[in-house]
């Protein structure tokens, strides 16, 4: 029996990780620790909420005493830490909240894990603290290209795989951190604390940095679910600047698979980058979304292109992110299972087929129901 806390398990990525672990490892006890902020939605986990190896605990990761008691009571062997404030626009408006949750919350978890595991006869043997971070800590990449070739162009990563790219450089695990937003600065700080607990105390830690995720259950403040919903209801599609910013996209289920592989097989004190080798300009993704939603709703394909509205660019908006996940593919054998075209089709279909979920989220009804349910627990 392994007893594992997954923080932020009611969120977008976290709910996929919880579901994977609960279903794949019936001999594990999975404890979903989530504060249930606006981005946490237990409706994401209705299909597994009654499983005997699943437990939900409503708790703030900044509650050191609460986390320590939980670890002692549940005899926790591992922590998979996903809980974080993650929206860049919100971090620009309220950096204090991001520093509190992402930095102090991570420190609270680390200190609780240290106190509990060091009290055991075996101490750190068989234990693991796995911290999930972002590619945004690396800063930004330029859109460079070989002479005479305009991006996107075909290039080969160190894994030997070819893919379309908008530049010749990629984020690798040995790059210097250069965060540009309060969000990425807070995540960078939390990464440093995790590594420091390994170097200072010998805690068995792992850090991963992942590219943009997409897929079912994503809170509709993020580009893909927001725009799918807006296209459906023929609302404006606000595009920052000219939509030229490039992001590397990964289907969320593939990220959950990577987390599973790294948690079980990754080397202690290592960093692994997780990405899809799948670069897209924002404006091109939006056009794909419009065409796909229009087709699936029986509208003329491209009929809603006039919904695109260009707005003032975000402050400090990084130009390009591109992850090189060759190390993960080479050392642990993981690679994405879906091409983007297949992943985006599955994603659009899911949101169109789950309008009740979207309506509950956009109205805020989901928060009242579950907050009332767990108010006195």
């Amino acid at each position: 029996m392994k007893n594992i806390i997954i923080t932020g398990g009611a969120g977008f990525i976290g709910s996929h990780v919880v579901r994977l672990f609960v279903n794949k490892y019936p001999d594990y006890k999975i404890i979903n620790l989530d504060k249930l902020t606006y981005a946490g939605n237990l409706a994401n986990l209705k299909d597994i909420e009654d499983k005997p190896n699943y437990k939900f605990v409503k708790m703030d990761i900044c509650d050191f005493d609460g986390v320590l008691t939980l670890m002692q009571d549940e005899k926790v062997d591992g922590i998979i830490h996903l809980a974080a404030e993650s929206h860049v626009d919100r971090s620009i408006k309220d950096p204090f909240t991001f520093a509190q949750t992402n930095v102090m919350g991570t420190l609270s978890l680390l200190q609780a894990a240290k106190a509990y595991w060091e009290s055991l006869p075996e101490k750190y043997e068989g234990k693991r603290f796995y911290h999930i971070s972002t590619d945004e800590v690396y800063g930004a990449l330029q859109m460079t290209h070989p002479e005479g070739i305009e991006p996107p162009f075909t290039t080969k990563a160190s894994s030997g795989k070819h893919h379309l790219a908008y530049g010749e450089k990629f984020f690798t695990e040995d790059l210097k951190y250069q965060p540009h937003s309060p969000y990425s600065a807070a995540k960078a700080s939390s990464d440093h604390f995790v590594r420091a607990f390994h170097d200072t105390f010998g805690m068995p830690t792992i850090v991963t940095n992942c590219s943009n995720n997409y897929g079912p259950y994503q809170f509709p403040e993020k580009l893909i679910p927001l725009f799918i919903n807006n296209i459906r209801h023929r609302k404006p599609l606000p595009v920052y600047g000219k939509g030229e910013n490039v992001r590397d996209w990964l289907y969320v289920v593939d990220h959950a698979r990577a987390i599973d592989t790294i948690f079980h097989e990754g080397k202690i004190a290592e960093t692994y980058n997780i990405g899809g080798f799948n670069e897209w300009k924002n404006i091109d993704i939006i056009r794909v979304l419009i065409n796909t939603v229009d087709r699936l709703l029986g509208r003329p394909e491209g009929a809603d292109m006039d919904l695109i509205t260009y707005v003032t660019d975000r402050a400090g908006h990084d130009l390009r992110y591109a992850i090189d996940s060759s190390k993960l593919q080479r050392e642990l054998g993981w690679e994405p299972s879906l091409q983007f075209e297949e992943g985006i089709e599955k994603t659009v279909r899911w949101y169109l087929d789950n309008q009740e979920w979207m309506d509950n989220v956009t109205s805020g009804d989901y928060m009242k129901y579950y907050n009332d349910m767990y108010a006195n627990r």
Side-chain angles (χ1 to χ4, degrees), residues 88-89 92 136 139-140 178-182 184 245 247 313-321:
V88 174
D89 287 351
I92 293 170
E136 297 191 39
Q178 293 183 308
H180 292 154
S181 70
S184 56
N245 302 75
R247 297 293 181 263
D313 204 357
R314 168 192 286 162
H317 200 175
D318 291 333
L319 182 61
R320 172 177 172 252
Y321 302 149

Side-chain angles (χ1 to χ4, degrees), residues 148-280:
I149 302 178
E150 291 297 322
F153 57 88
T154 301
T155 188
K156 185 167 72 172
S158 57
S159 64
K161 294 190 180 255
H162 289 80
H163 62 283
L164 289 178
Y166 283 84
E168 297 179 279
K169 292 186 177 180
F170 301 87
F171 294 143
T172 56
E173 289 85 354
D174 57 356
L175 275 186
K176 181 177 72 173
Y177 276 22
Q178 293 183 308
H180 292 154
S181 70
Y183 161 58
S184 56
K187 289 300 289 184
S189 178
S190 66
D191 295 4
H192 291 320
F193 269 110
V194 173
R195 295 188 179 104
F197 266 66
H198 171 268
D199 295 347
T200 304
F201 306 112
M203 182 180 289
T205 63
I206 292 178
V207 175
T208 56
N209 301 87
C210 191
S211 59
N212 281 30
N213 281 215
Y214 71 97
Y217 299 110
Q218 188 170 27
F219 192 82
E221 66 182 355
K222 298 297 180 84
L223 188 151
I224 287 178
L226 173 65
F227 279 30
I228 291 171
N229 199 44
N230 282 12
I231 296 163
R232 178 175 193 146
H233 296 289
R234 289 197 163 107
K235 295 180 179 179
L237 308 176
V239 180
Y240 282 129
K242 297 179 180 179
E244 297 290 312
N245 302 75
V246 173
R247 297 293 181 263
D248 176 20
W249 292 89
L250 180 68
Y251 190 61
V252 65
V253 175
D254 282 332
H255 188 189
R257 289 177 45 247
I259 290 171
D260 176 25
T261 298
I262 294 165
F263 181 77
H264 289 96
E265 302 176 28
K267 296 179 181 177
I268 297 301
E270 287 287 344
T271 297
Y272 298 94
N273 282 348
I274 309 172
F277 287 120
N278 180 42
E279 295 182 50
W280 285 77

